Amino acid sequence: MERGTSYMVITLHLITSFIASGAFGIIFNAPKRTLLHCGIVGMLGWIAYIVLDFRMEAIFSTVAATFIVGVISQLFAKLFKKPVIIFSVSGIIPLVPGGLAYDAMRNFVVNEYNVAIQLAAQAFLISGSIAIGLVMSEVLNQLLHKIPIKMPIWKAKKLPK
C-alpha cells in the first residue's frame, strides 16, 4: 500500500468514526452543545483501536480503546459539567461489534454452525472487553478522587476553632 493511500484510509476512519459517534449522540438525545465532543470521543477511541489492533489481539485493543474512551469521557464530563454517559455511550459506538454479530447470525441461518459459534463467541468477548474498559476507567477515576492532594502551606486556609 502506498503512503498516500494509508493516510487516506486513516482520514476516512477518522471522519466516519466521528460522524457515527456524533450521529448516535443525536439519536441518544445528547445536548446539542456536546455533539462535537461526542464525535471527538468516538474518533479518538476508534483511532486508538486501529493503532493497537496492528500490535495486539482485537480483545485487548478493544479494552485499551474503551479505557481511553472512558478516561476522555470522564474528562469531558468534568470540563463541560455533563453526565459521563453522554460521552461514553456515544464514544463506544464505533467499537461495538455489530458486523461480527450480524455475520454470526447469518451463518446460523445458512447452517454454518461452527463458523457461527466462533463469530458469536468473538462478538461476545469484544462486548465484554468494552464493559471491562469502561469499568477500568471508572475505577481509575474513583481512585484518583480518593487520593488526598496536599495543598501548599501558603494556600491553605486556617480552620476556625
Side-chain angles (χ1 to χ4, degrees):
M1 187 169 8
E2 296 178 24
R3 185 177 213 129
T5 308
S6 64
Y7 289 132
M8 289 294 289
V9 170
I10 290 173
T11 304
L12 187 62
H13 276 276
L14 285 169
I15 292 168
T16 54
S17 61
F18 177 83
I19 291 171
S21 297
F24 193 82
I26 293 171
I27 293 170
F28 190 59
N29 284 332
K32 290 180 183 176
R33 293 182 180 178
T34 62
L35 293 177
L36 177 69
H37 307 105
C38 291
I40 290 171
V41 172
M43 179 181 68
L44 293 174
W46 182 249
I47 287 302
Y49 173 79
I50 292 297
V51 168
L52 294 172
D53 196 38
F54 287 122
R55 293 177 174 82
M56 24 173 125
E57 292 287 325
I59 308 298
F60 299 115
S61 56
T62 303
V63 169
T66 307
F67 178 77
I68 290 169
V69 165
V71 168
I72 295 171
S73 297
Q74 298 280 347
L75 292 174
F76 278 2
K78 284 183 184 25
L79 189 64
F80 301 114
K81 295 183 171 95
K82 299 288 180 196
V84 177
I85 196 165
I86 290 173
F87 303 107
S88 62
V89 170
S90 295
I92 64 168
I93 289 304
L95 301 171
V96 173
L100 204 57
Y102 171 79
D103 287 339
M105 288 299 116
R106 187 175 51 82
N107 281 304
F108 271 120
V109 170
V110 296
N111 296 329
E112 293 288 334
Y113 297 118
N114 289 334
V115 175
I117 289 173
Q118 186 178 19
L119 291 172
Q122 190 174 2
F124 179 73
L125 289 172
I126 290 173
S127 299
S129 66
I130 289 172
I132 290 170
L134 286 175
V135 167
M136 284 174 41
S137 69
E138 180 61 32
V139 167
L140 177 70
N141 183 42
Q142 294 296 320
L143 286 175
L144 289 177
H145 281 296
K146 290 186 178 189
I147 294 175
I149 299 173
K150 293 187 177 185
M151 191 179 297
I153 296 173
W154 62 88
K155 290 188 178 181
K157 295 182 181 178
K158 293 184 179 178
L159 297 173
K161 292 184 180 184

